[in-house]
Amino acid sequence: MASDDLNIEVPGSGALPPDARAELEKCLKEFGVEIYGEASRLEAGLHIGSGPPVITSSFIQEAFLYGKRGHIQRPIPTSRHIFDGVSYAAAVVAGVFAGKLDTPTGSIGFAASLGIGVIAYFWGHKK
């Protein structure tokens, strides 16, 4: 099995200060991990049979183009799904209370569920 280490030369990087060079290495490593993950995803989508996955150079090239253009599909965190569910449930509850807006309970319930839904949506979609 081959090593996970890659030696990559970037022309002009030798002139960078040490902290900038370390940041460049970190960014290249992160991008490489994203490219490999995307290539694995592409291979899994086209994999036929029960044999081991084979990531070819064409998968790497396609993943590189996706990454270069910003189209790599990153996994959605579970917390976002939970907050989306809370915001949808709050919308349903707000709909129930909307039919009773002429009562204090309906007004307070509508406002509270509306607030909870908006807050849950924005907490789930913050970066």
Side-chain angles (χ1 to χ4, degrees):
M1 182 126 230
S3 170
D4 286 346
D5 295 335
L6 292 174
N7 292 326
I8 300 171
E9 294 180 18
V10 178
S13 64
L16 292 173
D19 60 333
R21 186 175 173 87
E23 190 65 27
L24 177 64
E25 289 176 5
K26 178 183 159 207
C27 291
L28 287 173
K29 183 178 180 180
E30 287 178 16
F31 188 65
V33 169
E34 288 183 3
I35 296 299
Y36 182 75
E38 182 68 9
S40 298
R41 187 191 69 79
L42 292 170
E43 192 281 335
L46 297 173
H47 188 75
I48 298 174
S50 60
V54 178
I55 298 175
T56 62
S57 61
S58 63
F59 288 126
I60 298 292
Q61 290 169 355
E62 190 172 354
F64 170 72
L65 290 176
Y66 283 160
K68 190 175 179 182
R69 295 179 182 144
H71 298 299
I72 289 181
Q73 295 182 3
R74 290 171 180 83
I76 297 173
T78 305
S79 62
R80 182 170 177 180
H81 291 298
I82 292 170
F83 281 120
D84 281 347
V86 169
S87 66
Y88 297 146
V92 170
V93 172
V96 170
F97 282 119
K100 302 174 185 174
L101 283 176
D102 55 342
T103 65
T105 306
S107 300
I108 293 170
F110 179 77
S113 58
L114 181 69
I116 290 170
V118 169
I119 290 169
Y121 176 82
F122 283 114
W123 272 355
H125 289 265
K126 69 180 176 182
K127 294 188 180 202

